Amino acid sequence: PEEAAIVGSTHFILLKNRAIEKVMVLMGRLQEALAAHDRESGFPFEPEWQLQGGKISKGEQYKGLPWVMLDYPRYFSKTGVFAFRTMFWWGHYFIGTLHLAGNVNAHYSAAIESGYEQLARAGFQVYLQEDPWEHDLGNGNYCFIDTLSYDEWKKLVSRYEFIKLARSCAIGHWGEIITEMVAAYAILLNVLDNKQRA
């Protein structure tokens, strides 16, 4: 009966399409804000990584639900990954994730390890599983860094050839997404930069 009721109406689908379009616009504005932060911070991205421009994509079926994703900045190659990925997942949250892999992860592993206290204080979570393309914060995929001892943290940092650090924002805080994600990104770059130069 629920399905029969909804297929007879266009209202929900039109509302959903408008909401997704607004998320796409929001992601475009977020990319501009992240790029502005990069210009102001002067973070020393390695020249050989050849960072690509931002990319916004969307889909209908991440675990059965619509999603929108912004990758900025992004560098994906056969040897490494440096990406800050912001994802909107219908009915769940916005999540900002730093994904480092391969030679990029190796380059920053000491900085990430040393950033334990700053990341823990800022409410970041670390990814625990083997599949780097899982985005769900639930189901034991992530844990808050402040729940780990420093020794546990060190083991996690060196566990795989990649690391993912994430911070989420409730969908209900729509108006704060840009500020929240830029702040999370700034903390992550500060962890990488300060420790790298030490």
Side-chain angles (χ1 to χ4, degrees), residues 16-26 58:
K16 173 249 178 193
N17 290 344
R18 286 202 305 264
I20 292 295
E21 283 306 310
K22 287 181 178 177
V23 174
M24 296 282 287
V25 169
L26 183 66
K58 66 178 180 175

Side-chain angles (χ1 to χ4, degrees), residues 10-195:
T10 60
H11 183 67
F12 173 75
I13 294 297
L14 292 173
L15 275 178
K16 173 249 178 193
N17 290 344
R18 286 202 305 264
I20 292 295
E21 283 306 310
K22 287 181 178 177
V23 174
M24 296 282 287
V25 169
L26 183 66
M27 290 297 193
R29 290 181 181 153
L30 174 59
Q31 179 181 329
E32 292 170 0
L34 292 169
H37 176 78
D38 281 346
R39 287 190 298 273
E40 292 166 10
S41 72
F43 180 79
F45 291 107
E46 295 297 313
E48 66 268 21
W49 294 346
Q50 298 178 2
L51 294 175
Q52 300 129 341
K55 180 179 178 183
I56 300 173
S57 50
K58 66 178 180 175
E60 295 291 326
Q61 290 293 323
Y62 183 67
K63 301 190 176 182
L65 294 166
W67 56 271
V68 179
M69 190 177 290
L70 165 66
D71 284 333
Y72 181 88
R74 66 186 177 103
Y75 164 73
F76 294 91
S77 78
K78 293 179 182 178
T79 58
V81 172
F82 186 117
F84 185 70
R85 173 167 282 178
T86 306
M87 180 178 180
F88 162 84
W89 187 20
W90 190 279
H92 289 78
Y93 37 67
F94 285 86
I95 178 174
T97 306
L98 177 68
H99 181 169
L100 306 178
N103 60 355
V104 179
N105 185 48
H107 181 79
Y108 286 117
S109 62
I112 295 289
E113 184 178 304
S114 298
Y116 165 74
E117 287 186 14
Q118 189 175 356
L119 293 166
R121 276 195 314 271
F124 280 92
Q125 299 184 54
V126 61
Y127 185 67
L128 303 174
Q129 307 302 334
E130 293 183 36
D131 176 9
W133 308 113
E134 173 68 62
H135 307 298
D136 186 354
L137 279 174
N139 301 311
N141 292 325
Y142 282 85
C143 76
F144 281 96
I145 295 169
D146 67 0
T147 66
L148 301 169
S149 71
Y150 184 62
D151 286 339
E152 290 170 327
W153 170 246
K154 286 196 297 186
K155 288 176 186 173
L156 272 175
V157 169
S158 60
R159 185 175 180 184
Y160 302 122
E161 291 188 3
F162 74 91
I163 191 163
K164 289 172 60 176
L165 304 170
R167 198 160 82 174
S168 66
C169 189
I171 287 178
H173 297 167
W174 188 287
E176 301 164 20
I177 298 304
I178 292 175
T179 303
E180 290 284 326
M181 289 298 123
V182 172
Y185 179 63
I187 291 167
L188 291 164
L189 291 190
N190 186 57
V191 165
L192 300 182
D193 190 18
N194 288 345
K195 303 310 180 204

